[in-house]
Amino acid sequence: MTKKITAALLCLVLVLSLSGCSFAETVGNWLDSIGDMIPNDVELVLGQLTGREEVSAEHEIIFSEGYVNMLKSGVYHIVYSLSDGTEVEIGSNGLRFGSTYPEPAELEGVEPQYDENGNPIEPEIPHEHIVLSDGIYYYIDDNQAKMFTVNPANYKAVPIEISAENIAFAEAGTADFGGKSCRYERYTTDAGNITFYYYEAVLTGMVIEQGGTHTLENITAFNKYVNTALVAMPSTYQVVQYWTGE
C-alpha cells in the first residue's frame, strides 16, 4: 500500500509540473478520481491541503473498526485482567455467553510436587466456569456433572452480554486509563456506550456502560475465535435450580 501511495504522489508531482492548474485544483481533481484507493488519513491530509476536507467521524475511526464488527456479529473472544490481577476469558457464539476465571488457590501448606526429572510441577488451578443462556446464569461443575443456576452477584467475573445494536461512532480523544495516557474511541448503542482505549496503538482496555459499568483492563486478546468450552452447555449434565433470580 505504501508503494502505491508513493507512486501516486510522484504521479501527482509530475502532473503539477506539466499542467497549468493550481496545486489545490489539481489535488482536488486527483482526490475525486482515486479517493477510494487511499486510506482515510492520507485522503484527509491531502484534502486539507486544498481546504476541502474537515476532520470527520469517518477519519477519526482509526483503531476500533475490527472490534466493532466482531461485536456486531455477536461472535468474539476476549481475555483481560481484573484490577486484582485475575485473568478472565469471556466469549460469545452469538447465542450464549460464557466466562471462566481461576478460583482462589488454596495452596498454603501444600507440599510442592516434582516430575521425574526433578522439575517443579505447577499446581493445577481450578476455574470457575459460568454460562449465560436465555437470561439465566449457570455454574458448570464438571466434577459433579451438574449445572447450578446462580446469582451472578456472587461471582466477581461473569459473562458480559455486550449489545452492539445500532452501534455508532460518537467521539475520540485522549484520556487516562490504567495510569497511562491513551487514545479512546467511544461508540453509542441502543443499550449504552462502549469505549475502547489504546496505548501506543494497542488495545489495552474497554469500558462497557450497558445496564451498569464493566471495565476490562489489560486486554491481551480480542478476536473472533471463540473457545467453545466457554459457551458449551453439556447435554448430559443435570440442571440444579436453586436460584430463581428473585
Side-chain angles (χ1 to χ4, degrees):
M1 175 61 76
T2 302
K3 291 181 179 179
K4 290 181 180 179
I5 294 171
T6 303
L9 290 173
L10 289 173
C11 289
L12 174 61
V13 172
L14 180 61
V15 169
L16 282 171
S17 64
L18 296 176
S19 71
C21 297
S22 69
F23 178 81
E25 288 175 331
T26 304
V27 172
N29 294 335
W30 183 66
L31 283 175
D32 289 337
S33 63
I34 69 162
D36 291 337
M37 297 170 58
I38 58 178
N40 277 340
D41 46 354
V42 175
E43 184 180 358
L44 172 63
V45 171
L46 293 173
Q48 286 180 320
L49 291 175
T50 70
R52 300 168 17 135
E53 195 76 61
E54 297 292 333
V55 175
S56 66
E58 180 182 7
H59 294 111
E60 285 279 13
I61 302 171
I62 295 177
F63 298 120
S64 298
E65 185 174 357
Y67 301 115
V68 166
N69 288 338
M70 273 188 281
L71 294 178
K72 284 181 178 179
S73 74
V75 179
Y76 52 82
H77 174 241
I78 305 174
V79 182
Y80 67 101
S81 297
L82 300 175
S83 56
D84 64 4
T86 301
E87 187 175 78
V88 180
E89 285 187 78
I90 70 172
S92 168
N93 66 352
L95 297 174
R96 294 194 177 103
F97 301 83
S99 73
T100 180
Y101 66 98
E103 296 176 350
E106 301 291 343
L107 299 177
E108 290 186 13
V110 177
E111 292 293 327
Q113 301 295 312
Y114 301 89
D115 63 20
E116 57 185 13
N117 297 318
N119 299 314
I121 300 173
E122 290 292 330
E124 183 177 344
I125 300 176
H127 278 66
E128 303 277 7
H129 183 193
I130 306 170
V131 173
L132 171 61
S133 181
D134 295 327
I136 301 174
Y137 289 90
Y138 296 90
Y139 177 88
I140 298 182
D141 189 326
D142 293 314
N143 292 326
Q144 297 187 59
K146 292 181 179 179
M147 293 187 292
F148 297 88
T149 61
V150 297
N151 181 352
N154 295 335
Y155 296 86
K156 62 181 179 181
V158 296
I160 303 170
E161 184 176 0
I162 306 173
S163 171
E165 284 293 316
N166 294 322
I167 191 168
F169 176 81
E171 62 175 333
T174 57
D176 184 77
F177 183 85
K180 300 175 182 177
S181 178
C182 297
R183 174 185 170 85
Y184 74 85
E185 295 178 16
R186 179 168 294 118
Y187 292 76
T188 60
T189 73
D190 285 354
N193 300 314
I194 302 172
T195 307
F196 299 88
Y197 289 88
Y198 298 86
Y199 180 67
E200 296 181 347
V202 176
L203 180 68
T204 187
M206 289 172 63
V207 175
I208 304 159
E209 300 167 285
Q210 297 179 347
T213 300
H214 304 278
T215 302
L216 281 54
E217 300 177 313
N218 304 309
I219 292 177
T220 55
F222 191 158
N223 56 57
K224 64 181 179 181
Y225 302 105
V226 181
N227 179 354
T228 55
L230 286 176
V231 295
M233 299 280 284
S235 59
T236 58
Y237 282 20
Q238 177 186 353
V239 176
V240 180
Q241 298 198 15
Y242 71 85
W243 188 74
T244 62
E246 298 176 356

